[in-house]
Amino acid sequence: MPRILLSNDDGYLAPGLAALAEALRPLGSIDVVAPEQDRSGASNSLTLDRPLRVRTGLNGFHYLVGGTPTDCVHLAATGILPEPPEMVVSGINRGANMGDDVLYSGTVAAAMEGRHLGMPAMAVSLVGREPEHFHSAARVAADLLRGLLENPLPGDTILNVNVPDLPYAELQGFEVTRLGRRHKSEMLMPAADPRGEPVYWIGPSGREADGGPGTDFDAVRRGCVSITPLDLDMTRYRFMDDLSQWLRCCAR
Amino acid sequence: MPRILLSNDDGYLAPGLAALAEALRPLGSIDVVAPEQDRSGASNSLTLDRPLRVRTGLNGFHYLVGGTPTDCVHLAATGILPEPPEMVVSGINRGANMGDDVLYSGTVAAAMEGRHLGMPAMAVSLVGREPEHFHSAARVAADLLRGLLENPLPGDTILNVNVPDLPYAELQGFEVTRLGRRHKSEMLMPAADPRGEPVYWIGPSGREADGGPGTDFDAVRRGCVSITPLDLDMTRYRFMDDLSQWLRCCAR
Amino acid sequence: MPRILLSNDDGYLAPGLAALAEALRPLGSIDVVAPEQDRSGASNSLTLDRPLRVRTGLNGFHYLVGGTPTDCVHLAATGILPEPPEMVVSGINRGANMGDDVLYSGTVAAAMEGRHLGMPAMAVSLVGREPEHFHSAARVAADLLRGLLENPLPGDTILNVNVPDLPYAELQGFEVTRLGRRHKSEMLMPAADPRGEPVYWIGPSGREADGGPGTDFDAVRRGCVSITPLDLDMTRYRFMDDLSQWLRCCAR
Amino acid sequence: MPRILLSNDDGYLAPGLAALAEALRPLGSIDVVAPEQDRSGASNSLTLDRPLRVRTGLNGFHYLVGGTPTDCVHLAATGILPEPPEMVVSGINRGANMGDDVLYSGTVAAAMEGRHLGMPAMAVSLVGREPEHFHSAARVAADLLRGLLENPLPGDTILNVNVPDLPYAELQGFEVTRLGRRHKSEMLMPAADPRGEPVYWIGPSGREADGGPGTDFDAVRRGCVSITPLDLDMTRYRFMDDLSQWLRCCAR
């Protein structure tokens, strides 16, 4: 039985994590290491300035006090668990991680950290503002995990999975997608504290600008499970020749 | 004169930021919005759970109390400044951002956020543990910025620049590179607090595993300025066909 | 039925809080507003730089994300609850709050905040490193609360209660005590992070220096419940005349 | 020359701290250990869950990354400085610390920590929303420190000093005061984040309720420097007999 590490960015008490653990238990030996609190938006941030504490909740899940999703996967893979995990599944996130969201997502970051440390990994999100069908998404995760166990993916690649908030039977199949793109974010939201001093909220993220055919936005809109392969190597290879050209003009 | 936004992840008082502002002032109208504190390792994390405060330091630089590099660029572009910036330069970081470092780097994240919001952007780092030649790196930034002003790069692309810690005259030219790769990280470092309870430090990042020809590690080792084009679209396009194949086997 | 507010500094999931809620439910209408996380050592700190969020846990207790014990009582008394509470009980703390501890204690601070906002209040702690008899301490809290409901205490006063970690039947009675005093704290504990940079832990608090007759330390040592009246007005009245004298010498 | 430790809660870059250091330098050997950031409202909170880092700013002042005022004094007294300090002066705080403010004040907490660790200590605050006359307050601090050096105060006592925002020559003398009292705090201030979710600000502190003769509020209002002796022992001695009586009724 493979040793499967679960994590998330909504915190160790999130219902999506419980649903995931339940669905994957038949497929492997499950360990959970997740943040104590909601760390949505944590991206790949790593805690380097202080040591972290591991605790175990009443639900049997381990959690890191003050830790990020990346911290959780990193420590789980480098010594917290008696035996190192062999795969990483992150989620089920409450809400989509599509298009530009993936840059900021702690859910995706946990999967990236797993892949970076040598393990097959995927991130699973349930689309919607207050989504309900965590068990659908957990079954999707189990389907894909079975596939990964038989046919591993190439290194440097993780799967970013977004599941429509529907009963499993109503899902319209799996679709390979590219990341769409959101509109520019909205303006900041100014406010004032009780002493009248100005403070600023980051504005909400934009609606999708590129949600056309082939994107994750489009697949989910049609009720399909969106599966986007993400590349951990961010080098833009196809631009390297042009850049050499460009440099010749610019630098003397 | 273009309006250039500077940010970093070492905090608004960092010497690398001051050197950068000084070197770029002849090229544009400079605004600085940086974190109050050192936020190295913040990656692309965005602060969504609370509003932020902007202050201005004695050095004339704006800073965000408790803000991340991404917060700084985001708020600067969405309303904090009287006029929105047109380009973003992030740095000069104290220490390299090469290979896998870019996933975690707040310096790179600030440039990514700029590009994501529609602006040409680059991240500049000075290699070394306690590097000194910030003025070399700042001159390199000015060289490249002049190029960017004449010949813009395609959207979705930022430049990740790593400068050896040498006097400007001793730099061995500019080199287009791909990201190298580090070894798996080292094991966590266990410790104990004064009450004897266990705590865990994230272990140091590994030495480079792939620092061969063409990588950023290799260029810097030979005294060259490494310039890596980074792609903000993380979709692994070249794997999409294989993944469709793979899915057909795995899902029924 | 009086409306009783419960809070603590160990977090809303702490077993001591659950035991307290269970024991006091027959005596009043119970609301719980507690910190999300362990905030031991928070003292009377108030969060003024950002707004706070209230959530409700699966156990029905409200909690404040990132909030301190003082925040919890303050917000509960100024508008979060449909009706304002009439009394505050804080605890059951995991570990003693005796002698100088009270200065730093979040448990005591929650009670102080209640009194400060006009409500009778007490703080209850269970002595020991990993104490077990939370139900003893909860029964003690119920005993005292019954007394408070019949005979209110003067304003500016709260009760600081420390209960030995014993079965209720083995407690040796209630004793009115003064705060003892600990020895000077121990030296800091130097350590190093994985990069070899120095960091410093606050050293453990000292053993008691004044644990003689009449102190909280002494009462607990003999198996008694220690009850110390604390004064919210920190003015040292008995020294005011001497200070006037002193000032005449010092200032011209 | 006595070794005098300075700290504050406004952060190591605050102008009040610089003014204090300048005014006290003729009287002793000055060390500064202050928080990196503004920690107003930190009260006596101590950082026990992680180790702290000490840095030195361009102004020569030491600061603790993420540390509280209490952390600063504690670490300075238990090993960070080559020689332990002999006295503590905290301030000059930007804004009053009168009446109930002292419970929450980090400025007062730093002085309390000093006294608690065996050193004479005082806290100095400059009254006003954006006060200017830091040099007046610094001179007042020097006046009082001269007195302390000649005639030490009893243990368990610190001086809480509030200075009107006036030129030194216009101050109307020193006055020994008791803590006044503010009105109940105002209601919380509800707000919403950009996603429409409710958040709550702690409301502003109330106007003084008891600012009558003899209080700190009253002295400052008349242009006098208010000097309140604070007692570190919070036991309410004068209530102990009544409490014994009370207990006899309540407990069986």
Side-chain angles (χ1 to χ4, degrees):
Chain A
M1 294 257 285
R3 293 186 301 277
I4 305 168
L5 173 66
L6 309 189
S7 194
N8 74 352
D9 72 354
D10 290 332
Y12 80 102
L13 290 171
L17 182 61
L20 186 63
E22 189 189 322
L24 300 191
R25 224 176 278 284
L27 301 182
S29 157
I30 305 292
D31 281 301
V32 179
V33 184
E36 182 177 22
Q37 297 185 285
D38 185 345
R39 295 302 297 260
S40 300
S43 190
N44 306 77
S45 61
L46 252 188
T47 302
L48 299 175
D49 60 347
R50 63 175 188 277
L52 295 160
R53 289 167 200 274
V54 190
R55 300 253 161 82
T56 304
L58 293 175
N59 59 5
F61 295 174
H62 303 298
Y63 61 88
L64 286 188
V65 178
T68 67
T70 301
D71 291 335
C72 291
V73 174
H74 194 103
L75 288 181
T78 61
I80 272 185
L81 299 178
E83 288 191 272
E86 293 165 311
M87 328 191 63
V88 175
V89 184
S90 174
I92 312 290
N93 191 61
R94 193 169 58 94
N97 277 306
M98 300 192 289
D100 320 319
D101 297 342
V102 300
L103 282 183
Y104 310 106
S105 165
T107 308
V108 175
M112 288 171 73
E113 187 68 12
R115 180 70 271 179
H116 174 54
L117 295 174
M119 292 172 278
M122 65 176 157
V124 187
S125 304
L126 184 58
V127 180
R129 213 186 129 112
E130 300 199 0
E132 295 173 5
H133 295 89
F134 287 108
H135 289 287
S136 298
R139 269 186 76 176
V140 166
D143 292 343
L144 291 168
L145 191 66
R146 261 182 230 107
L148 280 182
L149 291 173
E150 287 167 31
N151 302 296
L153 298 178
D156 263 2
T157 307
I158 65 166
L159 299 184
N160 184 42
V161 181
N162 281 277
V163 182
D165 189 24
L166 295 170
Y168 185 80
E170 296 178 24
L171 293 173
Q172 303 298 308
F174 290 9
E175 205 163 295
V176 175
T177 57
R178 63 179 170 86
L179 296 172
R181 194 171 309 194
R182 296 197 186 272
H183 268 226
K184 236 183 98 123
S185 292
E186 309 216 357
M187 296 304 281
L188 58 79
M189 199 177 98
D193 73 15
R195 270 136 271 124
E197 289 182 15
V199 295
Y200 304 96
W201 291 93
I202 300 275
S205 53
R207 299 276 316 155
E208 67 258 27
D210 172 10
T215 64
D216 42 9
F217 292 113
D218 180 63
V220 165
R221 203 182 299 122
R222 288 180 292 100
C224 295
V225 175
S226 162
I227 304 180
T228 313
L230 298 185
D231 197 337
L232 260 69
D233 181 350
M234 298 180 67
T235 310
R236 190 173 176 105
Y237 288 99
R238 60 201 150 113
F239 183 64
M240 290 179 73
D241 287 345
D242 286 353
L243 182 56
S244 297
Q245 197 71 31
W246 184 90
L247 267 185
R248 229 161 289 139
C249 308
C250 121
R252 268 128 297 232
Chain B
M1 294 258 284
R3 294 186 302 277
I4 305 168
L5 173 66
L6 309 189
S7 194
N8 74 351
D9 72 353
D10 290 332
Y12 80 103
L13 291 171
L17 182 61
L20 187 63
E22 190 190 322
L24 300 190
R25 225 175 278 284
L27 300 182
S29 156
I30 304 292
D31 281 301
V32 179
V33 184
E36 182 178 21
Q37 299 185 283
D38 185 346
R39 295 301 298 258
S40 300
S43 190
N44 306 76
S45 61
L46 253 188
T47 302
L48 299 174
D49 59 346
R50 64 174 188 278
L52 295 159
R53 290 165 199 275
V54 190
R55 300 253 160 82
T56 304
L58 294 175
N59 60 4
F61 295 174
H62 303 299
Y63 62 87
L64 287 188
V65 179
T68 67
T70 301
D71 292 334
C72 291
V73 174
H74 194 104
L75 288 181
T78 61
I80 272 185
L81 298 177
E83 288 191 273
E86 293 165 311
M87 325 193 64
V88 174
V89 184
S90 174
I92 312 290
N93 191 61
R94 193 168 60 95
N97 277 307
M98 301 192 290
D100 319 320
D101 297 343
V102 301
L103 282 183
Y104 310 105
S105 165
T107 308
V108 175
M112 289 172 73
E113 187 68 12
R115 179 71 273 178
H116 175 52
L117 296 173
M119 293 172 278
M122 65 176 158
V124 187
S125 303
L126 183 59
V127 180
R129 213 186 129 112
E130 298 199 0
E132 294 173 4
H133 295 89
F134 288 108
H135 290 287
S136 297
R139 269 185 77 177
V140 165
D143 292 343
L144 291 167
L145 191 66
R146 262 182 229 107
L148 280 182
L149 291 173
E150 286 167 31
N151 301 297
L153 298 178
D156 262 2
T157 307
I158 64 166
L159 299 184
N160 184 41
V161 182
N162 282 276
V163 183
D165 189 24
L166 294 170
Y168 186 79
E170 295 178 23
L171 293 172
Q172 303 297 309
F174 289 11
E175 205 164 296
V176 175
T177 57
R178 62 179 171 87
L179 295 172
R181 193 170 309 193
R182 294 196 187 274
H183 268 221
K184 236 183 99 123
S185 293
E186 308 216 357
M187 297 303 281
L188 58 79
M189 199 176 95
D193 72 14
R195 269 137 272 121
E197 289 182 16
V199 295
Y200 303 96
W201 292 93
I202 300 275
S205 53
R207 300 274 319 155
E208 68 258 26
D210 172 10
T215 64
D216 43 8
F217 291 114
D218 180 63
V220 164
R221 202 181 299 122
R222 288 180 291 101
C224 295
V225 174
S226 162
I227 304 181
T228 313
L230 298 185
D231 197 337
L232 261 70
D233 181 349
M234 298 181 66
T235 311
R236 191 173 175 104
Y237 288 100
R238 60 201 149 113
F239 183 64
M240 291 178 71
D241 286 345
D242 285 354
L243 183 56
S244 297
Q245 197 71 32
W246 183 91
L247 268 185
R248 228 161 291 140
C249 308
C250 121
R252 269 126 296 230
Chain C
M1 293 257 286
R3 293 185 303 277
I4 305 168
L5 173 66
L6 308 190
S7 194
N8 75 350
D9 72 353
D10 290 332
Y12 80 103
L13 291 172
L17 183 61
L20 186 63
E22 192 190 319
L24 300 191
R25 225 177 278 285
L27 301 182
S29 156
I30 305 291
D31 281 301
V32 179
V33 184
E36 182 178 21
Q37 297 186 285
D38 184 346
R39 295 302 297 261
S40 300
S43 189
N44 305 75
S45 62
L46 252 188
T47 302
L48 299 174
D49 60 346
R50 63 175 189 278
L52 295 160
R53 290 166 199 276
V54 190
R55 299 255 160 81
T56 305
L58 293 174
N59 59 3
F61 294 174
H62 303 299
Y63 62 88
L64 287 188
V65 178
T68 66
T70 300
D71 292 336
C72 291
V73 174
H74 194 104
L75 288 180
T78 61
I80 271 185
L81 298 178
E83 287 191 272
E86 294 165 309
M87 325 192 66
V88 175
V89 184
S90 176
I92 312 291
N93 191 61
R94 194 168 58 92
N97 277 307
M98 300 192 289
D100 319 319
D101 297 343
V102 301
L103 282 183
Y104 310 105
S105 164
T107 307
V108 175
M112 289 171 72
E113 187 69 12
R115 179 71 273 180
H116 175 53
L117 295 173
M119 292 172 278
M122 67 176 156
V124 186
S125 303
L126 183 59
V127 180
R129 214 186 129 111
E130 299 199 0
E132 295 174 3
H133 295 89
F134 288 107
H135 290 286
S136 298
R139 269 186 77 178
V140 165
D143 292 342
L144 291 167
L145 191 66
R146 261 183 231 107
L148 279 182
L149 291 173
E150 286 167 33
N151 301 297
L153 299 178
D156 262 2
T157 306
I158 64 167
L159 298 185
N160 183 43
V161 181
N162 282 277
V163 182
D165 189 24
L166 295 171
Y168 185 79
E170 296 179 22
L171 294 172
Q172 304 297 312
F174 289 10
E175 203 164 297
V176 176
T177 57
R178 63 178 172 88
L179 295 173
R181 193 171 308 194
R182 293 196 186 276
H183 269 221
K184 234 182 101 121
S185 292
E186 309 218 355
M187 297 303 282
L188 58 78
M189 197 177 96
D193 74 14
R195 271 136 271 123
E197 289 181 17
V199 295
Y200 304 96
W201 292 94
I202 300 275
S205 53
R207 301 277 317 158
E208 67 260 26
D210 171 11
T215 65
D216 42 9
F217 290 113
D218 180 63
V220 165
R221 203 181 301 120
R222 288 182 291 102
C224 295
V225 174
S226 161
I227 303 180
T228 314
L230 298 185
D231 196 337
L232 260 70
D233 181 350
M234 297 179 67
T235 310
R236 191 174 175 103
Y237 288 99
R238 60 200 149 115
F239 182 64
M240 290 178 72
D241 287 344
D242 286 352
L243 183 57
S244 297
Q245 196 71 31
W246 183 89
L247 267 184
R248 228 161 291 140
C249 309
C250 121
R252 272 126 295 233
Chain D
M1 293 256 286
R3 293 186 303 275
I4 305 168
L5 173 67
L6 309 189
S7 194
N8 74 351
D9 72 354
D10 290 332
Y12 80 103
L13 290 172
L17 183 61
L20 186 62
E22 192 190 319
L24 300 191
R25 225 177 277 285
L27 301 182
S29 157
I30 305 290
D31 281 300
V32 180
V33 184
E36 182 178 22
Q37 298 185 285
D38 184 346
R39 295 301 299 260
S40 301
S43 189
N44 305 74
S45 61
L46 252 189
T47 302
L48 298 175
D49 60 346
R50 62 175 189 279
L52 295 159
R53 289 165 199 275
V54 190
R55 300 255 160 80
T56 305
L58 293 175
N59 60 4
F61 294 174
H62 303 299
Y63 62 87
L64 287 189
V65 179
T68 66
T70 301
D71 292 335
C72 291
V73 173
H74 194 103
L75 288 181
T78 60
I80 271 185
L81 299 178
E83 288 190 90
E86 294 165 310
M87 326 192 63
V88 174
V89 184
S90 175
I92 312 290
N93 191 60
R94 194 168 60 93
N97 277 308
M98 300 192 290
D100 320 318
D101 298 342
V102 301
L103 280 184
Y104 310 106
S105 165
T107 307
V108 175
M112 289 170 73
E113 187 68 13
R115 180 71 273 178
H116 175 53
L117 296 173
M119 293 172 278
M122 67 175 156
V124 187
S125 303
L126 184 59
V127 180
R129 212 186 130 111
E130 299 199 1
E132 296 174 2
H133 295 89
F134 288 106
H135 290 287
S136 298
R139 269 185 78 177
V140 166
D143 293 343
L144 291 168
L145 191 66
R146 260 184 232 107
L148 280 183
L149 291 174
E150 286 167 32
N151 302 297
L153 298 178
D156 262 3
T157 306
I158 65 167
L159 299 185
N160 183 41
V161 182
N162 282 277
V163 182
D165 189 24
L166 295 170
Y168 185 80
E170 296 179 22
L171 294 173
Q172 303 298 309
F174 290 9
E175 204 163 297
V176 175
T177 57
R178 62 178 171 88
L179 296 173
R181 193 171 308 195
R182 295 196 185 275
H183 268 220
K184 232 182 103 123
S185 292
E186 309 217 355
M187 296 303 282
L188 58 80
M189 197 177 95
D193 74 13
R195 270 136 272 124
E197 288 180 17
V199 295
Y200 304 95
W201 292 93
I202 299 276
S205 52
R207 301 277 317 155
E208 68 259 25
D210 171 11
T215 65
D216 42 9
F217 291 114
D218 181 63
V220 165
R221 203 182 300 120
R222 289 180 292 101
C224 295
V225 174
S226 161
I227 303 180
T228 313
L230 298 185
D231 196 337
L232 260 71
D233 181 350
M234 298 180 68
T235 309
R236 192 174 175 103
Y237 289 98
R238 59 202 150 114
F239 183 63
M240 290 177 72
D241 287 345
D242 285 354
L243 183 56
S244 297
Q245 195 72 31
W246 184 91
L247 267 185
R248 229 160 291 138
C249 309
C250 120
R252 271 129 293 233

